[in-house]
Amino acid sequence: MILIKLGGSIITNKEKPLSARRKTIDNLAKSLKKIQEPIVIVHGGGSYGHYWSVKYDMHTKERKYDLRGVAIVKNSMIELNKIILDSFLKNKLNPYCLPPTDFMTGNKPITKKVKEIERIAKSGLIPVTFGDALWYGQNKTFILSGDKIMTYLAKILKPKLCIFALNEDGVYSDLKSKKLIHELKGERPSISENKMDVTGGMTRKIEEASKISKMGMNVFFVNGNKPERIVKAVKNRKFEGTMFRGK
Ligand code: IPE
């Protein structure tokens, strides 16, 4: 099984509120069609969920956020999710929409439900989930990032490979020269970024990728604008991006 995160920076235009990059999503779907093994998709919020989370000052910490914000963030994620599902359908994939409320209780994944995701993927359907605003309890809510979902799913499902499709070639050791780090083994790269968003941008992704690779799985950061790189990586042909080697 392959676990793939479609980052908000690749599926939306982060500079422009509520704008999906439909052509890019279509191209990603076309490439995913070439993968001959079970896949699970997680997608981010980009200029949908993040845009509203910022507006309503909502974060990953469990708090009593503005309920209007919770409703609006959730609604915007459904809207973006629908665009992804429509693109998958159009490109002859069979997506199976799974909002995170289907397998999360508070801020914890429900193991039994997560294991079911694997069975769904093995049937040939493609489970599609996403970062979202979630109910925590005692009138508190929080923003669950798709990156965190990747770690939860990886821990339970032990995929062969975890892929983060980004709007960059991978992790750069230096942002100015865009010098790409091809491989990381356990160590944390010192990167010079960071444009922050509510769930922590690239820093969060690297943090989750390190966690997953420490659990023994390979994690691959790839440019989603070149989706054939995803196919090549899955087919073990060539890794053009940053590989976090699982130990
Ligand atoms: C964010 O998910 C979800 C919301 C803000 C509701 P992510 O944190 O995974 O989104 P991206 O990939 O960074 O845009």
Side-chain angles (χ1 to χ4, degrees), residues 5 60 131-132 143-150 199 204 208:
K5 160 99 195 271
T60 52
D132 203 357
I143 299 290
L144 173 67
S145 86
D147 301 329
K148 263 252 161 355
I149 298 180
M150 288 293 280
T199 58
R204 160 87 59 189
E208 299 305 329

Side-chain angles (χ1 to χ4, degrees), residues 5-222:
K5 160 99 195 271
L6 306 177
S9 61
I10 187 75
I11 56 175
T12 72
N13 179 356
K14 276 203 152 180
E15 310 304 314
K16 198 172 160 230
L18 309 175
S19 61
R21 296 173 66 194
R22 290 169 195 266
K23 187 88 202 87
T24 308
I25 297 170
D26 277 345
N27 289 338
L28 281 159
K30 284 191 184 93
S31 288
L32 296 179
K33 180 81 189 148
K34 295 180 191 151
I35 299 176
Q36 302 300 330
E37 49 192 303
I39 55 177
V40 174
I41 301 290
V42 178
H43 71 78
S47 69
Y48 284 74
H50 277 294
Y51 171 74
W52 291 114
S53 308
V54 169
K55 272 221 171 317
Y56 283 90
D57 197 24
M58 295 167 67
H59 307 271
T60 52
K61 263 210 155 44
E62 300 87 6
R63 287 214 184 111
K64 288 181 181 167
Y65 294 110
D66 187 334
L67 300 179
R68 188 82 191 148
V70 177
I72 291 179
V73 167
K74 257 195 177 306
N75 199 40
S76 76
M77 286 311 298
I78 293 286
E79 203 177 318
L80 177 58
N81 181 244
K82 178 76 163 61
I83 294 170
I84 309 250
L85 298 178
D86 284 343
S87 166
F88 277 24
L89 275 174
K90 191 172 82 187
N91 289 291
K92 306 204 163 50
L93 296 166
N94 294 323
Y96 185 84
C97 171
L98 270 173
T101 43
D102 278 22
F103 57 86
M104 294 288 297
T105 174
N107 59 4
K108 301 227 158 35
I110 308 163
T111 307
K112 207 174 142 210
K113 283 282 190 179
V114 172
K115 287 195 171 147
E116 201 164 74
I117 297 178
E118 181 166 29
R119 291 195 283 277
I120 296 169
K122 283 187 171 157
S123 79
L125 287 166
I126 301 179
V128 179
T129 189
F130 47 87
D132 203 357
L134 286 193
W135 173 257
Y136 178 67
Q138 295 166 329
N139 287 348
K140 291 181 183 172
T141 56
F142 66 105
I143 299 290
L144 173 67
S145 86
D147 301 329
K148 263 252 161 355
I149 298 180
M150 288 293 280
T151 306
Y152 293 150
L153 298 187
K155 191 169 178 189
I156 298 170
L157 300 180
K158 301 268 182 270
K160 196 163 90 183
L161 178 64
C162 297
I163 300 175
F164 286 77
L166 319 165
N167 196 26
E168 303 284 348
D169 281 336
V171 183
Y172 305 122
S173 57
D174 175 56
L175 255 200
K176 275 199 199 98
S177 63
K178 293 213 163 185
K179 197 172 173 304
L180 189 68
I181 302 174
H182 294 282
E183 191 166 323
L184 288 158
K185 275 197 198 102
E187 77 269 33
R188 244 339 150 73
S190 55
I191 52 163
S192 55
E193 261 211 314
N194 199 328
K195 253 214 274 164
M196 294 296 276
D197 53 34
V198 296
T199 58
M202 192 61 152
T203 308
R204 160 87 59 189
K205 285 176 214 316
I206 292 172
E207 208 176 286
E208 299 305 329
S210 306
K211 274 192 216 159
I212 297 172
S213 70
K214 279 194 189 120
M215 294 188 260
M217 288 157 271
N218 288 338
V219 184
F220 182 52
F221 280 17
V222 65

Side-chain angles (χ1 to χ4, degrees), residues 225-237:
N225 296 300
K226 313 257 167 69
E228 68 284 353
R229 291 182 184 175
I230 298 177
V231 184
K232 276 188 200 151
V234 170
K235 295 188 173 165
N236 235 328
R237 294 227 177 97

